[in-house]
Structure formats: C-alpha cells, structure tokens
Amino acid sequence: KERDHQVHSLAAAAGAACQTYKDQVVFDKKEIVKDNGEVYTVFTPYSRKWLGTLNEFYTRAYPNEKYFRHFYKQDAVPIPSLPSMEFEDIAMQFPSKDLEEELVRHYGKTRDYPGQRGTSRLGVHFRFGTVSIRQAARISGPLNATYLNELIWRDFYQMILWNFPQVGEGKAFKPDYDRIQWRNVESEFEKWCTGQTGYPIVDAGMRELNETGFMHNRVRMVVASFLVKHLLIDWRWGEAYFAQKLLDFDLASNNGGWQWASGSGCDAAPYFRIFNPYLQTKKFDPDFTYIRTWVPEFEDFSYPPPMVEHTFARNRCLEVYKKALRGE
C-alpha cells in the first residue's frame, strides 16, 4: 500500500495518470463484505458470500488487447543470459502450469495424502502470476467444490491482510494470544528446521521443504502445530522460516496458515486442537510412502528418539495457553 501510494504520488507530480487493476485474486479488498458493509473475519460466511457473488464476469479473461496501443514501445534489446546474471541450473523439477481436470475432479479425495500426487502444485504460479487465478476458478468450479474452496481461502487471507495490516507486522489477529509465554528454545527450533525431531511425519515435511522449496499442505499443518504446540515456539519463527524456504511463499496465506495453527488468527483452529503426529501419519501416510521418501532411516537405530513426548507436550501447551488467555 505504501509502495502504490508513492507510485501514485510520483505519477501525479509528473502529470501522469496512474491506475491499478485487480489481478492476483478473484475478489479483493472489500468486494466481499457483510450486508452492513463490515469485513468478514470468519471464513464460512465469507465463502458463502464469495460463491453467491461469483459469476462469469469475475472469471473471464481481461480484454487486454485493447490496451496494447498504450504500451510503451522500444526497439528489442538482447536479453541477458542466465549465467551472466549468476543463475545456475538446478535439478529441481518446476511445477507445470497446467491445471489437470482429472486431478481436480478427485482433489477432495486425494489432497490430504502426501505420498501420492493429489494436489496441483500451482501455488508457485499463483504467487508469481504465471497462471491466472480467474482461469483456475473458472475451470475448477464445475469440477470440484473442494478445490475451488481452497482458492476462496486464498482470497480470504488476502482480504484479511489488506483490512488488518497488523497481522503482517508480527501481531496476532487475536491480541490475547500475544500474551503467550513461548519457550523459544533455539536448539529445539534447529532440530525442527533440519528435520531431526524424532517424529517422522514432521521430519519428512521439513526435509522436503529444505530440499525442494515445497511442502504438502497437510504436512504444513502438522509441522506448524508441532512447532507451536509441542515445542511452544513462537509461530512467528516458523512463519519466517517458511518465508525463507517456500517457493510459493505468499505473505497473506503464510501468515494466515501460521496464525490458524497457533490459534491466534481469525477463524483459527481452537487452541486445544493439537495435531497428534502419530495419528496424522496413520490416517494420511499409513504405508509410510511419504516418510520413506524423505526419512529413509526412520526405522533404524540411527534415527533420533522423539524430542518431546506427545501427551506431555499437549498438556504443557494447554496449560500455557489457558494461563495466557486468562490473563495470568
């Protein structure tokens, strides 16, 4: 917002018009609000209004051809080579820009299983604008409500960041949660970062992130819950680490996801909802397909024991949260 204000001021000083256009989201800022004009802070009613507002107008391609005549024109110049800009080739496989209809049709049944290819991996394209969010909504809408719902979550978090900018400045959406007394043990944070917690599903996620810049969404929730609630490490530490590592890093979604996991955000998971990594593994990676890919030694004696016992960590978390929310 500050940047755009500066650009508008610069243009005005030069006697030029400056216009901004919505492009990164389907609905932005205050397009989807309550009947009284107030901003939604709970996802479910927001999503209902979002769906009730959506029509072909909002998902069609922009008629950009008519603006071509306004574009600045110049003679072609050589494009710098990648080596000249000190880029190097890497073996990482870059996600396709194609939204596969068959994958979208089965998305609701496959999206939670990290050991199989059940997600579109388009997050990095949405983040950099190399795939149209309107096109994704137009294609997925008739095919799968669950997939479309994820696009609504993305709009929701963008809207929250715009209307409540304090969440992007390191503050909890629910101020009471800023009273939590985090342990913030740096050695424990380092084990989490490097995938050495002794919990295979957590370690698999962190190793996948460190090596590829991607982490499956189900696993993102598990590792976030583990950091915040098992280790009582400030969610902002995890948010910053994800921002450093994720190729699809998006401030609004990253902040929204971490505040959801910690219980401090709008429409967040209740603070007493604490993921059990073992049950998450049993339910979503029962054959250890995902875990074996990233933690092949998890059944060996060389693999570290759990750094904290689940029941103990859960009870400790509940006590710390209750104390903070009581204002003690």
Coordinates of all heavy atoms in Angstrom, one line a residue, residues 190-256:
E190 N 16.2 -25.5 15.9 CA 17.1 -26.0 14.9 C 16.8 -27.5 14.5 O 16.9 -27.8 13.3 CB 18.6 -25.9 15.5 CG 19.6 -26.4 14.5 CD 19.7 -25.6 13.2 OE1 19.3 -24.4 13.2 OE2 20.3 -26.1 12.3
K191 N 16.4 -28.3 15.5 CA 16.0 -29.7 15.2 C 14.8 -29.7 14.3 O 14.7 -30.5 13.4 CB 15.8 -30.4 16.5 CG 17.0 -30.8 17.3 CD 16.7 -31.6 18.5 CE 18.0 -31.9 19.3 NZ 17.7 -32.7 20.5
W192 N 13.9 -28.8 14.6 CA 12.7 -28.7 13.8 C 13.0 -28.3 12.3 O 12.6 -28.9 11.4 CB 11.7 -27.7 14.4 CG 10.4 -27.5 13.6 CD1 9.3 -28.2 13.6 CD2 10.2 -26.4 12.7 NE1 8.3 -27.6 12.8 CE2 8.8 -26.5 12.2 CE3 10.9 -25.3 12.3 CZ2 8.3 -25.6 11.3 CZ3 10.4 -24.4 11.4 CH2 9.0 -24.6 10.9
C193 N 13.9 -27.3 12.2 CA 14.3 -26.8 10.9 C 14.9 -27.8 10.1 O 14.7 -27.9 8.8 CB 15.2 -25.6 11.0 SG 14.4 -24.1 11.7
T194 N 15.8 -28.7 10.7 CA 16.6 -29.6 9.9 C 15.9 -31.0 9.8 O 16.5 -31.9 9.2 CB 18.0 -29.8 10.6 OG1 17.8 -30.1 12.0 CG2 18.8 -28.5 10.5
G195 N 14.7 -31.2 10.4 CA 14.1 -32.5 10.3 C 14.7 -33.5 11.2 O 14.9 -34.6 10.7
Q196 N 14.9 -33.2 12.4 CA 15.6 -34.1 13.4 C 14.8 -34.1 14.7 O 15.3 -34.2 15.8 CB 17.0 -33.7 13.7 CG 17.9 -33.8 12.5 CD 18.2 -35.2 11.9 OE1 18.1 -36.2 12.7 NE2 18.5 -35.3 10.7
T197 N 13.4 -34.1 14.6 CA 12.6 -34.0 15.8 C 12.3 -35.4 16.4 O 11.9 -35.5 17.5 CB 11.3 -33.4 15.5 OG1 10.5 -34.2 14.6 CG2 11.4 -32.0 14.9
G198 N 12.5 -36.5 15.6 CA 12.2 -37.8 16.1 C 10.7 -38.2 15.7 O 10.3 -39.3 16.0
Y199 N 10.0 -37.3 15.1 CA 8.7 -37.6 14.6 C 8.7 -37.6 13.1 O 8.9 -36.6 12.4 CB 7.7 -36.4 15.0 CG 7.2 -36.5 16.5 CD1 8.0 -35.9 17.5 CD2 6.1 -37.2 16.8 CE1 7.6 -36.0 18.8 CE2 5.7 -37.3 18.2 CZ 6.4 -36.7 19.1 OH 6.0 -36.8 20.5
P200 N 8.6 -38.8 12.5 CA 8.9 -39.0 11.1 C 8.1 -38.1 10.1 O 8.6 -37.5 9.2 CB 8.6 -40.5 10.8 CG 8.9 -41.1 12.1 CD 8.4 -40.1 13.2
I201 N 6.8 -37.9 10.4 CA 6.0 -37.1 9.5 C 6.4 -35.6 9.6 O 6.4 -34.9 8.5 CB 4.5 -37.2 9.9 CG1 3.6 -36.6 8.8 CG2 4.2 -36.6 11.3 CD1 3.5 -37.3 7.5
V202 N 6.8 -35.1 10.7 CA 7.3 -33.8 10.9 C 8.7 -33.6 10.1 O 8.9 -32.7 9.4 CB 7.5 -33.4 12.4 CG1 8.1 -32.0 12.5 CG2 6.1 -33.4 13.1
D203 N 9.6 -34.6 10.4 CA 10.9 -34.5 9.8 C 10.8 -34.6 8.3 O 11.6 -34.0 7.5 CB 11.8 -35.6 10.4 CG 12.1 -35.4 11.8 OD1 11.9 -34.2 12.3 OD2 12.5 -36.3 12.5
A204 N 9.9 -35.5 7.8 CA 9.7 -35.6 6.3 C 9.3 -34.3 5.7 O 9.8 -33.9 4.7 CB 8.7 -36.7 6.0
G205 N 8.4 -33.6 6.3 CA 7.9 -32.3 5.8 C 9.0 -31.3 5.8 O 9.2 -30.6 4.7
M206 N 9.8 -31.2 6.8 CA 10.9 -30.2 6.9 C 12.0 -30.5 5.9 O 12.6 -29.6 5.3 CB 11.4 -30.1 8.3 CG 10.4 -29.6 9.3 SD 9.5 -28.1 8.8 CE 10.9 -26.9 8.8
R207 N 12.3 -31.8 5.7 CA 13.3 -32.2 4.7 C 12.9 -31.9 3.3 O 13.6 -31.5 2.5 CB 13.7 -33.6 4.9 CG 14.4 -33.9 6.3 CD 14.9 -35.3 6.4 NE 15.2 -35.7 7.8 CZ 15.8 -36.8 8.1 NH1 16.0 -37.8 7.2 NH2 16.1 -37.1 9.4
E208 N 11.6 -32.2 3.1 CA 11.1 -31.9 1.7 C 11.1 -30.4 1.5 O 11.5 -29.9 0.4 CB 9.6 -32.3 1.6 CG 9.0 -32.0 0.3 CD 7.5 -32.4 0.2 OE1 6.8 -32.3 1.2 OE2 7.0 -32.7 -0.9
L209 N 10.8 -29.6 2.5 CA 10.8 -28.1 2.3 C 12.3 -27.7 2.0 O 12.5 -26.9 1.1 CB 10.3 -27.5 3.6 CG 10.5 -25.9 3.7 CD1 9.6 -25.3 2.6 CD2 10.1 -25.4 5.1
N210 N 13.2 -28.1 2.8 CA 14.6 -27.7 2.7 C 15.2 -28.1 1.3 O 16.0 -27.3 0.8 CB 15.5 -28.3 3.8 CG 15.1 -27.7 5.2 OD1 14.6 -26.5 5.3 ND2 15.3 -28.5 6.2
E211 N 14.8 -29.2 0.8 CA 15.4 -29.7 -0.4 C 14.7 -29.2 -1.7 O 15.3 -29.0 -2.7 CB 15.4 -31.2 -0.4 CG 16.2 -31.8 -1.6 CD 16.4 -33.3 -1.5 OE1 16.6 -33.8 -0.4 OE2 16.4 -34.0 -2.6
T212 N 13.4 -29.0 -1.6 CA 12.6 -28.7 -2.8 C 12.0 -27.3 -2.8 O 11.5 -26.8 -3.8 CB 11.5 -29.7 -3.0 OG1 10.5 -29.5 -2.1 CG2 12.1 -31.1 -3.0
G213 N 11.8 -26.7 -1.6 CA 11.1 -25.4 -1.6 C 9.6 -25.6 -1.6 O 8.8 -24.6 -1.7
F214 N 9.2 -26.8 -1.4 CA 7.7 -27.2 -1.3 C 7.5 -28.1 -0.2 O 8.3 -28.8 0.3 CB 7.3 -27.9 -2.6 CG 5.9 -28.4 -2.6 CD1 4.9 -27.6 -2.9 CD2 5.7 -29.8 -2.3 CE1 3.5 -28.1 -2.9 CE2 4.4 -30.3 -2.3 CZ 3.3 -29.5 -2.6
M215 N 6.2 -28.0 0.4 CA 5.8 -28.9 1.4 C 4.3 -29.1 1.2 O 3.6 -28.2 0.9 CB 6.0 -28.4 2.8 CG 5.7 -29.5 3.9 SD 5.7 -28.8 5.6 CE 7.3 -28.2 5.8
H216 N 3.9 -30.4 1.3 CA 2.5 -30.8 1.1 C 1.6 -30.0 2.1 O 2.0 -29.9 3.3 CB 2.3 -32.3 1.2 CG 1.0 -32.8 0.9 ND1 -0.1 -32.7 1.8 CD2 0.5 -33.3 -0.2 CE1 -1.1 -33.3 1.2 NE2 -0.8 -33.6 0.0
N217 N 0.4 -29.6 1.7 CA -0.4 -28.7 2.6 C -0.8 -29.4 3.9 O -0.8 -28.8 5.0 CB -1.6 -28.3 1.9 CG -2.4 -27.3 2.7 OD1 -1.9 -26.2 3.1 ND2 -3.6 -27.6 3.1
R218 N -1.1 -30.7 3.9 CA -1.5 -31.4 5.1 C -0.3 -31.5 6.0 O -0.4 -31.3 7.2 CB -1.9 -32.9 4.7 CG -2.0 -33.9 5.9 CD -2.9 -33.5 7.0 NE -4.3 -33.2 6.6 CZ -5.3 -32.9 7.4 NH1 -5.0 -32.9 8.7 NH2 -6.5 -32.7 7.0
V219 N 0.9 -31.7 5.5 CA 2.1 -31.7 6.3 C 2.4 -30.4 6.9 O 2.9 -30.2 8.0 CB 3.3 -32.3 5.5 CG1 4.5 -32.5 6.4 CG2 2.9 -33.7 4.9
R220 N 2.1 -29.3 6.1 CA 2.4 -28.0 6.6 C 1.6 -27.7 7.9 O 2.1 -27.1 8.9 CB 2.0 -26.9 5.6 CG 2.8 -26.9 4.3 CD 2.5 -25.7 3.4 NE 3.0 -25.9 2.1 CZ 3.1 -25.0 1.1 NH1 2.8 -23.7 1.4 NH2 3.6 -25.3 -0.1
M221 N 0.4 -28.2 8.0 CA -0.4 -28.1 9.2 C 0.2 -28.9 10.4 O 0.2 -28.4 11.5 CB -1.8 -28.5 8.9 CG -2.6 -27.6 8.0 SD -4.4 -28.0 7.9 CE -4.3 -29.5 6.9
V222 N 0.7 -30.1 10.0 CA 1.3 -30.9 11.1 C 2.5 -30.3 11.7 O 2.7 -30.2 12.9 CB 1.5 -32.3 10.5 CG1 2.2 -33.2 11.6 CG2 0.2 -33.0 10.1
V223 N 3.4 -29.9 10.8 CA 4.7 -29.3 11.3 C 4.5 -28.0 12.0 O 5.2 -27.7 13.0 CB 5.7 -29.2 10.1 CG1 6.0 -30.5 9.5 CG2 5.3 -28.1 9.1
A224 N 3.5 -27.2 11.5 CA 3.3 -25.9 12.2 C 2.7 -26.2 13.6 O 3.1 -25.5 14.6 CB 2.3 -25.1 11.4
S225 N 1.8 -27.1 13.7 CA 1.2 -27.4 15.0 C 2.3 -28.0 16.0 O 2.3 -27.6 17.1 CB 0.1 -28.5 14.9 OG -0.4 -28.9 16.1
F226 N 3.2 -28.8 15.4 CA 4.2 -29.3 16.2 C 5.2 -28.2 16.8 O 5.5 -28.2 18.0 CB 5.1 -30.3 15.4 CG 6.1 -31.0 16.2 CD1 5.8 -32.2 17.0 CD2 7.4 -30.5 16.3 CE1 6.8 -32.8 17.7 CE2 8.4 -31.2 17.1 CZ 8.1 -32.3 17.8
L227 N 5.6 -27.3 15.9 CA 6.5 -26.2 16.4 C 5.8 -25.4 17.5 O 6.4 -25.1 18.5 CB 6.9 -25.4 15.2 CG 7.8 -24.2 15.6 CD1 9.2 -24.7 15.9 CD2 7.8 -23.1 14.5
V228 N 4.6 -25.0 17.2 CA 3.9 -24.1 18.1 C 3.4 -24.7 19.4 O 3.6 -24.2 20.5 CB 2.7 -23.4 17.4 CG1 1.9 -22.5 18.3 CG2 3.2 -22.6 16.2
K229 N 2.8 -25.9 19.3 CA 2.2 -26.5 20.4 C 3.0 -27.6 21.1 O 2.9 -27.7 22.3 CB 0.8 -27.0 20.0 CG -0.1 -25.8 19.6 CD -1.5 -26.2 19.1 CE -2.3 -25.0 18.8 NZ -3.7 -25.3 18.3
H230 N 3.7 -28.4 20.4 CA 4.6 -29.4 21.1 C 5.8 -28.7 21.7 O 6.2 -29.1 22.8 CB 5.0 -30.5 20.1 CG 4.0 -31.5 19.8 ND1 2.8 -31.3 19.2 CD2 4.0 -32.8 20.2 CE1 2.1 -32.4 19.1 NE2 2.8 -33.3 19.7
L231 N 6.4 -27.8 20.9 CA 7.6 -27.1 21.4 C 7.4 -25.8 22.0 O 8.4 -25.2 22.6 CB 8.6 -27.0 20.2 CG 9.0 -28.3 19.5 CD1 10.0 -28.0 18.4 CD2 9.5 -29.4 20.5
L232 N 6.2 -25.2 21.9 CA 5.9 -23.9 22.4 C 6.9 -22.8 21.9 O 7.5 -22.0 22.6 CB 5.8 -23.9 23.9 CG 4.6 -24.4 24.5 CD1 4.7 -24.5 26.0 CD2 3.4 -23.6 24.1
I233 N 7.1 -22.9 20.6 CA 8.0 -21.9 19.9 C 7.1 -20.9 19.1 O 6.2 -21.4 18.4 CB 9.0 -22.6 19.0 CG1 10.1 -23.3 19.9 CG2 9.7 -21.6 18.1 CD1 11.1 -24.1 19.1
D234 N 7.4 -19.7 19.3 CA 6.5 -18.6 18.7 C 6.3 -18.9 17.2 O 7.2 -19.2 16.4 CB 7.3 -17.3 18.8 CG 6.4 -16.1 18.5 OD1 5.5 -16.2 17.7 OD2 6.7 -15.0 19.1
W235 N 5.0 -18.8 16.8 CA 4.6 -19.1 15.4 C 5.3 -18.2 14.5 O 5.5 -18.5 13.3 CB 3.1 -18.9 15.3 CG 2.5 -17.6 15.6 CD1 2.0 -17.2 16.8 CD2 2.4 -16.5 14.7 NE1 1.6 -15.9 16.8 CE2 1.8 -15.4 15.5 CE3 2.7 -16.3 13.4 CZ2 1.5 -14.2 14.9 CZ3 2.4 -15.0 12.8 CH2 1.8 -14.0 13.6
R236 N 5.7 -17.0 14.9 CA 6.4 -16.1 14.0 C 7.8 -16.6 13.6 O 8.3 -16.3 12.5 CB 6.6 -14.7 14.7 CG 5.3 -13.9 14.7 CD 5.2 -12.8 15.8 NE 4.9 -13.4 17.0 CZ 3.8 -13.0 17.8 NH1 3.1 -12.0 17.3 NH2 3.6 -13.6 18.9
W237 N 8.4 -17.5 14.4 CA 9.7 -18.1 14.0 C 9.4 -19.0 12.8 O 10.2 -19.0 11.8 CB 10.3 -18.9 15.2 CG 10.8 -18.1 16.3 CD1 10.4 -16.9 16.7 CD2 11.9 -18.4 17.1 NE1 11.2 -16.4 17.8 CE2 12.1 -17.4 18.0 CE3 12.8 -19.5 17.2 CZ2 13.1 -17.4 19.0 CZ3 13.8 -19.6 18.1 CH2 13.9 -18.5 19.1
G238 N 8.3 -19.8 12.9 CA 8.0 -20.7 11.8 C 7.6 -20.0 10.6 O 7.9 -20.4 9.5
E239 N 6.8 -18.9 10.8 CA 6.4 -18.1 9.6 C 7.6 -17.6 8.9 O 7.6 -17.6 7.6 CB 5.5 -17.0 10.1 CG 5.0 -16.1 9.0 CD 4.4 -14.7 9.5 OE1 4.8 -14.3 10.7 OE2 3.7 -14.1 8.8
A240 N 8.6 -17.1 9.6 CA 9.8 -16.5 9.0 C 10.6 -17.6 8.2 O 11.1 -17.4 7.2 CB 10.6 -15.8 10.0
Y241 N 10.6 -18.8 8.8 CA 11.4 -19.9 8.2 C 10.7 -20.3 6.9 O 11.4 -20.5 5.9 CB 11.5 -21.1 9.1 CG 12.5 -22.1 8.6 CD1 13.9 -21.9 8.8 CD2 12.1 -23.3 8.0 CE1 14.8 -22.8 8.3 CE2 13.0 -24.2 7.5 CZ 14.4 -23.9 7.7 OH 15.3 -24.8 7.2
F242 N 9.4 -20.5 6.9 CA 8.7 -20.8 5.7 C 8.8 -19.7 4.6 O 9.0 -20.0 3.5 CB 7.2 -21.0 6.0 CG 6.8 -22.4 6.4 CD1 7.7 -23.2 7.1 CD2 5.5 -22.8 6.1 CE1 7.3 -24.5 7.4 CE2 5.1 -24.1 6.5 CZ 6.0 -25.0 7.1
A243 N 8.8 -18.5 5.1 CA 9.0 -17.4 4.1 C 10.4 -17.5 3.4 O 10.5 -17.1 2.3 CB 8.9 -16.0 4.8
Q244 N 11.3 -17.9 4.2 CA 12.7 -18.1 3.6 C 12.8 -19.2 2.6 O 13.5 -19.2 1.7 CB 13.7 -18.3 4.8 CG 15.1 -18.5 4.3 CD 16.0 -18.8 5.5 OE1 15.6 -18.8 6.7 NE2 17.3 -19.1 5.2
K245 N 12.0 -20.3 2.9 CA 12.2 -21.5 2.1 C 11.2 -21.8 1.0 O 11.5 -22.5 0.1 CB 12.2 -22.7 3.1 CG 13.4 -22.7 4.1 CD 14.7 -23.1 3.4 CE 15.9 -23.2 4.3 NZ 17.1 -23.6 3.7
L246 N 10.0 -21.4 1.2 CA 8.9 -21.8 0.3 C 9.0 -21.1 -1.1 O 9.1 -19.8 -1.1 CB 7.5 -21.5 0.9 CG 7.0 -22.4 1.9 CD1 5.7 -21.9 2.6 CD2 6.7 -23.8 1.3
L247 N 9.0 -21.8 -2.1 CA 9.0 -21.2 -3.5 C 7.6 -20.5 -3.7 O 7.5 -19.5 -4.4 CB 9.2 -22.2 -4.5 CG 10.6 -22.9 -4.6 CD1 10.6 -23.9 -5.7 CD2 11.7 -21.8 -4.8
D248 N 6.6 -21.0 -3.1 CA 5.2 -20.4 -3.3 C 4.9 -19.5 -2.1 O 3.7 -19.2 -1.9 CB 4.2 -21.5 -3.4 CG 4.0 -22.4 -2.2 OD1 4.6 -22.1 -1.1 OD2 3.2 -23.3 -2.2
F249 N 5.9 -19.0 -1.4 CA 5.7 -18.1 -0.3 C 4.8 -16.9 -0.7 O 5.0 -16.2 -1.7 CB 7.0 -17.5 0.3 CG 6.7 -16.3 1.2 CD1 6.1 -16.5 2.4 CD2 7.1 -15.0 0.8 CE1 5.9 -15.4 3.3 CE2 6.8 -14.0 1.6 CZ 6.2 -14.2 2.9
D250 N 3.7 -16.7 0.0 CA 2.8 -15.6 -0.1 C 2.5 -15.1 1.3 O 2.0 -15.9 2.1 CB 1.5 -16.2 -0.8 CG 0.4 -15.1 -0.9 OD1 -0.3 -14.9 0.1 OD2 0.3 -14.5 -2.0
L251 N 2.7 -13.8 1.5 CA 2.6 -13.3 2.9 C 1.3 -13.6 3.5 O 1.2 -14.0 4.6 CB 2.9 -11.8 2.9 CG 2.7 -11.1 4.2 CD1 3.6 -11.6 5.3 CD2 3.0 -9.6 4.0
A252 N 0.2 -13.3 2.7 CA -1.1 -13.4 3.3 C -1.4 -14.9 3.7 O -1.9 -15.2 4.8 CB -2.2 -12.9 2.3
S253 N -1.2 -15.8 2.8 CA -1.5 -17.2 3.1 C -0.6 -17.8 4.1 O -1.0 -18.6 5.0 CB -1.4 -18.0 1.8 OG -2.4 -17.6 0.8
N254 N 0.7 -17.4 4.1 CA 1.6 -18.0 5.0 C 1.3 -17.5 6.5 O 1.2 -18.2 7.4 CB 3.1 -17.5 4.7 CG 4.1 -18.2 5.5 OD1 4.1 -19.5 5.6 ND2 5.1 -17.5 6.0
N255 N 1.0 -16.2 6.6 CA 0.6 -15.6 7.9 C -0.7 -16.2 8.3 O -0.8 -16.6 9.5 CB 0.5 -14.1 7.8 CG 0.1 -13.5 9.1 OD1 -1.1 -13.4 9.4 ND2 1.1 -13.1 9.9
G256 N -1.7 -16.3 7.4 CA -3.0 -16.9 7.8 C -2.8 -18.3 8.2 O -3.5 -18.8 9.2

